[in-house]
Amino acid sequence: MKDVYKLSADGYRGLNAVEEYVNSSEIPRGLLELVRIRASQINGCAVCIDMHSRKARSVGESDERLWSVAAWRDTPFFTDAERAALALTEAITRIADSSVGVPDDSWDEATDHFTDAELAALVTAIASVNAWNRINVATRLVAGSFR
């Protein structure tokens, strides 16, 4: 279904409005892109992995960090705040895998590093990329199709 975004133009505009809000938040753009990449890896969305890796590079993320985001726990390349955001990303993306939704330890760690407004933006970013992932995977869009 290659024309999903044309066929759902109002929905596409709505999702883009969410992205505009998230991108204007206080969350650093590089971190937003890392979060988007990690959720997309979990969801198997090649379109978003490709897109957000390119965007991350354009805002200064190194290849080393991009190659390591899937194994962020086992590398020294991420700050404590970034680790908290990536853990929250995984918990929210895999929300159905936990009987408590998002575990308290994920929230506790995130609240140590982000304000309430930043957490709201981060949660919205994670929810948004998960929505994009589901549309792209469901309609079998191909990586590179947005270049």
Side-chain angles (χ1 to χ4, degrees):
M1 186 175 197
K2 64 182 179 177
D3 294 331
V4 65
Y5 293 115
K6 288 180 184 175
L7 293 167
S8 63
D10 288 342
Y12 180 77
R13 281 190 292 278
L15 285 172
N16 272 325
V18 172
E19 293 300 319
E20 289 175 21
Y21 154 71
V22 169
N23 289 335
S24 70
S25 75
E26 296 296 317
I27 304 294
R29 186 61 186 266
L31 178 55
L32 286 172
E33 298 306 336
L34 293 174
V35 161
R36 290 167 172 148
I37 292 165
R38 185 65 192 122
S40 300
Q41 290 170 333
I42 293 166
N43 291 324
C45 184
V47 170
C48 287
I49 293 168
D50 175 61
M51 178 188 302
H52 294 295
S53 294
R54 291 175 180 284
K55 287 182 179 183
R57 288 285 290 134
S58 76
V59 297
E61 285 298 332
S62 68
D63 287 337
E64 184 175 61
R65 284 167 50 92
L66 294 177
W67 296 330
S68 300
V69 74
W72 61 269
R73 285 181 180 84
D74 301 319
T75 68
F77 310 131
F78 302 97
T79 67
D80 289 344
E82 291 167 335
R83 290 174 185 284
L86 291 166
L88 188 63
T89 300
E90 290 182 358
I92 292 172
T93 301
R94 294 181 167 134
I95 202 163
D97 295 344
S98 171
S99 62
V100 296
V102 177
D104 288 343
D105 61 332
S106 293
W107 278 117
D108 293 344
E109 187 66 23
T111 60
D112 287 346
H113 298 283
F114 300 99
T115 66
D116 286 348
E118 290 168 335
L119 275 173
L122 191 56
V123 168
T124 303
I126 296 164
S128 179
V129 74
N130 274 276
W132 290 109
N133 290 168
R134 281 153 175 74
I135 293 168
N136 294 338
V137 171
T139 60
R140 297 187 173 125
L141 292 179
V142 177
S145 60
F146 288 100
R147 290 188 209 157

